[in-house]
Amino acid sequence: HKTAYEISACLVGSEMCIRDRSCTDMKTTLPTPKKEDKLLKIHGDTRVDPYYWLNNRENPEVISYLEEENKYSQSVLKSTKKFQKELFDEMKGRIKEDDSSVPYLLNGYWYITRYEKGKEYPIYTRKFMSLDSEEEIMLDVNEMAKDYEYYQVSGLSVSPDNKKISFGVDTLSRRIYTINVKNLETGKMLSDEIKGVNSYTAWSSDSKTFFYTGKDEETLRSDIIFRHNIGDDQRDDEIVYEEKDETFSTYVYPSKSREYIFIGSESTLSSEYRYLPSDTPNQEFKVLQERERGLEYRPYHIDDMFYITTNADNSTNFKIVKTPISNTNKSNWEDVIQHSDDILIDDLELFSDFMAIEQRENGLVYLRVIGYDNDMDYFINENSSLDFQNETYSFSLGYNPEFNTENVRLSYNSLTVPSTILEYNTNNKQEKILKQQEVLGNKFNSDNYTSERLFAVAHDGKKIPISIVRHKDTKLNSDTPLLQYGYGSYGITVDPRFSSVRLSLLDRGFVYAIAHIRGSQYLGREWYEDGRVFNKKNTFMDFISASEFLIEKKYTSPDHLYAMGGSAGGLLMGAIMNMSPELYNGVISAVPFVDVVTTMLDESIPLTTGEYDEWGDPNIKEFYDYMLSYSPYDNIKNVEYPNTLVTTGLHDSQVQYWEPAKWVAKLRDYHQGDNKIILHTDMDAGHSGSSGRFEALKEIAMEYAFLFMLEGINQ
């Protein structure tokens, strides 16, 4: 009474399936999903998709196929099962289980997030006025999550009177939340329950009203801002703003001063903000500056002014302006920090007496402090004991909720130095380390590792930065295994950061490299513009050029070079596999966006319409033709592909599970040779993987075991 799948599995590697022999002792066969040709026609072009039917998570046949793929991936990785457990234990063993965050002061309370040994989820606490005060547990997520496979708490927001906390809960991993409100005085949950929305709320100053963001049920686009009065039913909540342009999403948040509430609307290349005094929640929001195609800006409040970061007046790398709240139109914007062709303004933080600016030059981040009265102007980098000589560091503003302070929280780490939180005094220019990430286990020492930044030359002569780290005892030659990571989309920059998990690779002889390819803003806004829409192929060719450079310089060879990327970085993986499959022995592609054309033609799928400025609108032929020329799913060919591990989540709302599932099936149809192509689907999770802090390590252990298996390393 075995299924056809179980019988075929038993027959692999044997002439017959012995009646009383368990099939679990036999090798699992390669899944072969059925084909049902779906004709996709537009612009006079017809594409044939044999696996379109996988686009239905409610279909039991789809679930069965994904489970078969999981069984197959387990069979391929069967020899690594023990090693995966060792890797998991090793990675977990480096993490301080009973850890806690650096306390921060807000409105009279010190807030601390802590973890307890053996528990997966955080405990959110606070102490009144002094760190010596009695601890008050606001939320113990471990208790809240005990009956769920997936549980995420997000968007914690305490009311101005300190008596209530609102937060969102997602139990499906679709980033669709239910907002709850807890009375912090009694410890009881209030009756307020707001379903199918984003997690974050913006409280008005009366602590009786908050604003939140609703989602379109089909596309999951954040499209409506509601006002909620404590005690009311969700059905009675009033719409205060509706974003009707499907290429925009909207959100709501309070200013740092808590005197204003902002509603932001953003597309890829345009933004628009509305504002409302926090003490008048029933009034209408006012538009700060009407949207214009290509105009991006973000407001910050102090006294009677809004400070604004913007790309107005062709300021491609952004500048800082200010405008009186009484007249916020762009015509009144006055330059504070002018635009520079060489310096990108990444972030801005306002304090009562000064502003802190995060800016990037030649890929490196510098933090600048400027007084409003020009009584100070200097770079923290130049007045710090931190090592900025090595170019593989990450430096940024930390969490700074306090407004009336002379101290700035900073975050520093590098490829060899663990995450470090510092407090910097802007008056005496003294700093102190508040916390450095503890790396437990086998006596971690930063001096055992070495890092560097190199530059490869792209196909068009541009120089591509590459950040590299390795154990100091690892010799560089054609036999050295190297994992090259890349992303390169949305202007998101992947800075060189420390990872205790990555030590499991480095300690076993791997080199790790980050290719800072176009599509990010590592080298400024132009670096992003040169890697989107009709320049998207630069992203892929940059990654390939970086690989060729590392091979040429004898850091590795095609037999030992591996590539990794996720989401839009998964698109990158699919593209390089089609363009230069011979360069890589293995590829790890996580939640990959690989069926670009079909997805961008489906406006019912989350993120589609809001990303036309990133990828193009394939309803227009010129965009369609260009996207079709690189879409990984549409460009699969008869070649030998690298060994490939693809991961996804059944409930992924960012990149739907069927994209990687279809891609794997089609890859196998065309693949020449014996390299393995496997798919692992987390049947409980979405785009970000497991919700527990340690459960997520199991997937990383699987990915690393895959690489080690290909290298013949089993311990």
Side-chain angles (χ1 to χ4, degrees), residues 298-323:
R298 183 177 178 88
Y300 305 79
H301 169 250
I302 182 170
D303 298 331
D304 59 351
M305 305 290 289
F306 285 144
Y307 277 67
I308 300 168
T309 55
T310 180
N311 67 347
D313 305 318
N314 297 314
S315 302
T316 54
N317 276 334
F318 289 78
K319 63 178 179 178
I320 298 174
V321 302
K322 64 180 180 180
T323 188

Side-chain angles (χ1 to χ4, degrees), residues 367-384:
L367 295 183
R368 184 179 179 186
V369 175
I370 301 179
Y372 298 113
D373 297 325
N374 296 318
D375 53 339
M376 65 173 79
D377 186 355
Y378 63 88
F379 289 99
I380 293 178
N381 303 55
E382 298 171 354
N383 295 272
S384 171

Side-chain angles (χ1 to χ4, degrees), residues 464-633:
I464 310 156
I466 310 171
S467 297
I468 300 173
V469 62
R470 60 184 171 88
H471 194 282
K472 66 179 183 180
D473 293 336
T474 297
K475 306 302 181 185
L476 298 176
N477 53 54
S478 59
D479 293 325
T480 305
L482 187 150
L483 177 60
Q484 180 180 326
Y485 179 85
Y487 187 77
S489 290
Y490 304 109
I492 295 173
T493 297
V494 180
D495 279 313
R497 296 182 181 276
F498 181 82
S499 167
S500 67
V501 171
R502 190 188 300 137
L503 298 177
S504 292
L505 281 179
L506 303 183
D507 289 348
R508 290 174 174 84
F510 261 80
V511 177
Y512 184 82
I514 303 170
H516 302 290
I517 51 185
R518 276 174 277 190
S520 74
Q521 293 188 132
Y522 185 82
L523 292 180
R525 184 70 173 191
E526 183 182 349
W527 202 242
Y528 166 52
E529 296 292 344
D530 219 12
R532 70 173 188 89
V533 195
F534 291 117
N535 295 320
K536 191 64 217 171
K537 289 183 183 178
N538 285 336
T539 301
F540 317 138
M541 290 188 281
D542 282 0
F543 192 90
I544 291 170
S545 294
S547 299
E548 292 172 337
F549 171 82
L550 293 170
I551 292 170
E552 177 189 346
K553 296 300 181 181
K554 296 293 191 294
Y555 276 70
T556 188
S557 66
D559 289 338
H560 300 280
L561 176 58
Y562 303 90
M564 183 177 184
S567 195
L571 161 64
L572 169 65
M573 295 299 101
I576 63 158
M577 284 170 62
N578 287 334
M579 296 168 69
S580 297
E582 73 285 350
L583 284 181
Y584 309 96
N585 187 41
V587 171
I588 298 175
S589 187
V591 292
F593 174 42
V594 283
D595 193 11
V596 184
V597 178
T598 303
T599 292
M600 292 304 295
L601 282 169
D602 188 347
E603 296 181 4
S604 70
I605 295 177
L607 303 183
T608 295
T609 56
E611 299 196 354
Y612 286 156
D613 284 333
E614 178 70 25
W615 311 104
D617 180 358
N619 293 291
I620 301 171
K621 189 177 187 304
E622 59 179 335
F623 289 111
Y624 173 86
D625 290 341
Y626 186 77
M627 293 167 68
L628 187 61
S629 71
Y630 68 74
S631 171
Y633 188 66

Side-chain angles (χ1 to χ4, degrees), residues 422-460:
L422 305 100
E423 185 173 81
Y424 186 89
N425 187 290
T426 56
N427 287 333
N428 61 28
K429 300 180 182 179
Q430 298 295 307
E431 65 190 14
K432 62 179 178 180
I433 295 178
L434 301 179
K435 181 184 177 72
Q436 185 171 73
Q437 173 190 353
E438 289 186 62
V439 182
L440 307 180
N442 55 352
K443 297 181 179 179
F444 167 79
N445 186 339
S446 289
D447 293 337
N448 289 334
Y449 305 89
T450 182
S451 64
E452 60 185 330
R453 187 171 71 153
L454 304 175
F455 290 85
V457 179
H459 63 283
D460 57 359

Side-chain angles (χ1 to χ4, degrees), residues 271-275 286-292 295 297 328-331 333:
S271 54
E272 180 181 71
Y273 284 84
R274 288 166 167 76
Y275 63 97
K286 296 180 180 179
V287 177
L288 195 154
Q289 161 62 41
E290 291 186 357
R291 68 187 64 182
E292 296 177 7
L295 174 64
Y297 70 94
T328 61
N329 187 273
K330 189 175 65 171
S331 60
W333 292 2

